[in-house]
Structure formats: C-alpha cells, structure tokens
Amino acid sequence: MFYPVMVCTFAGLATALGAVIVIIPGGISEKGLSVSQGFAAGVMLAVSALDLLPESYSVYYTYMPALAAFKAVASLFVIGWIIGNLISSVAVPGGIYTE
C-alpha cells in the first residue's frame, strides 16, 4: 500500500517542479521547452515499448518456438518504427526542424 502512494507522490512533486521551472520569472526558453518535451516523449515511448514487448513475446511464445517468437516481436517492432518514421516524414514535409 505504501509503494503506490510513494510513487504517486514523487510523480506529483516532479510535475510541480516542472511547473515551477516554467512559471518563474524569465521562464524557460523555447529551445529548452522543446528539448524537455522531446525528452518526455522519448521516455513515454520507451516505457510503452518496454511494457508491451515482454507481453507480446509471451503471446508469440505460446504459438511458436522461443527464437521464432523473438524474431517475430523484434521484426514487427522495427517495421512499426519504420512505418512511424515514414508517416512522420509525410506529416512534416520540410522536416521537424523547419522555421
């Protein structure tokens, strides 16, 4: 019971710290905000992938041998990554860093 409360408390404090950094006089630069948002997005993607990959491996492992299940999960992960990059390049034709 104590662990979930502790984790939620730390998450709330981290959010409050981020808010304090943004609202202090002078705030955060546009470049700093972009970097912090990119970092947060990367962390969320990594957490999602690390949470979903073991579960997908266990599902594939029930239907095929271990090495084949690993190859299936790894190849589908890479294919999804490639498709995501292709969609991103079409959605932002000039690239991400255009001004």
Side-chain angles (χ1 to χ4, degrees), residues 8-64:
C8 287
T9 302
F10 284 138
L13 290 173
T15 303
L17 178 65
V20 167
I21 291 172
V22 171
I23 63 173
I24 59 172
I28 189 168
S29 69
E30 189 172 326
K31 184 177 180 180
L33 187 61
S34 298
V35 168
S36 63
Q37 285 179 337
F39 177 74
V43 168
M44 292 305 296
L45 287 171
V47 166
S48 296
L50 292 176
D51 187 44
L52 293 174
L53 286 176
E55 179 68 24
S56 62
Y57 174 76
S58 66
V59 169
Y60 276 103
Y61 185 66
T62 59
Y63 298 107
M64 56 183 66

